[in-house]
Amino acid sequence: MDATDWAIVEELRRDGRLSNVELAARVGLTPAPCLRRVRRLEGDGVIAGYHAHIDPRATGRGFEVMVSVELERKDRDSATAFERSASAFPEVLELRKMFGLPDYVMRVGTADLDAYERFATDKLTAIPGIAKVDSHLTMKVVKHERPSETGPTAGVPVRGAR
């Protein structure tokens, strides 16, 4: 990827609904070569898709909790069973398998503390094979980056950006 490709990625990260004409103007290209680059970036898997950023409070998931989970057994079948069960819960917004302890970290979104307590008690701790659950209540999200924000152009002005 060259600097122009990174500029395209950054502009689309900021606003995935940009028209090709507007995107081309922002990155200093004419529309046809810009569209070819976007299609190549999509084909190469750099641009994996487009999505709407949803306010979790508007969907009843504004109360976020980071949860550390340790399993009793570390074998493949236990891990697979836990991952399948935990991933099925709509409250689980993100699930990461970690090196070392804890075995997993999950980001859980519920409407409020009472809803989280019901989730933890009725669903999460009901999964067989869990040895320990630690809940870390989010007071405030101070910084949230999307992965592309850490690329080589992070913090660098994009040509023609407004």
Side-chain angles (χ1 to χ4, degrees), residues 125-148:
T125 58
I127 298 174
I130 292 179
K132 182 178 180 183
V133 172
D134 286 326
S135 302
H136 308 275
L137 304 180
T138 301
M139 181 185 301
K140 154 176 107 168
V141 176
V142 177
K143 181 178 181 181
H144 173 77
E145 287 187 4
R146 295 183 207 157
S148 65

Side-chain angles (χ1 to χ4, degrees), residues 54-122:
I54 308 300
D55 181 348
R57 292 169 297 192
T59 60
R61 302 271 187 254
F63 184 78
E64 288 194 359
V65 180
M66 299 303 293
V67 181
S68 301
V69 177
E70 293 179 25
L71 301 181
E72 291 172 353
R73 297 183 54 194
K74 313 298 183 183
D75 62 275
R76 184 181 308 184
D77 290 342
S78 297
T80 300
F82 171 76
E83 290 170 11
R84 188 177 304 116
S85 296
S87 295
F89 299 136
E91 296 89 349
V92 176
L93 305 175
E94 187 174 348
L95 178 61
R96 294 176 180 238
K97 186 172 186 174
M98 309 303 287
F99 285 103
L101 293 177
D103 297 313
Y104 292 89
V105 173
M106 62 174 59
R107 185 168 59 95
V108 174
T110 62
D112 54 28
L113 180 61
D114 290 337
Y116 174 72
E117 189 274 331
R118 285 190 302 277
F119 165 78
T121 302
D122 299 340

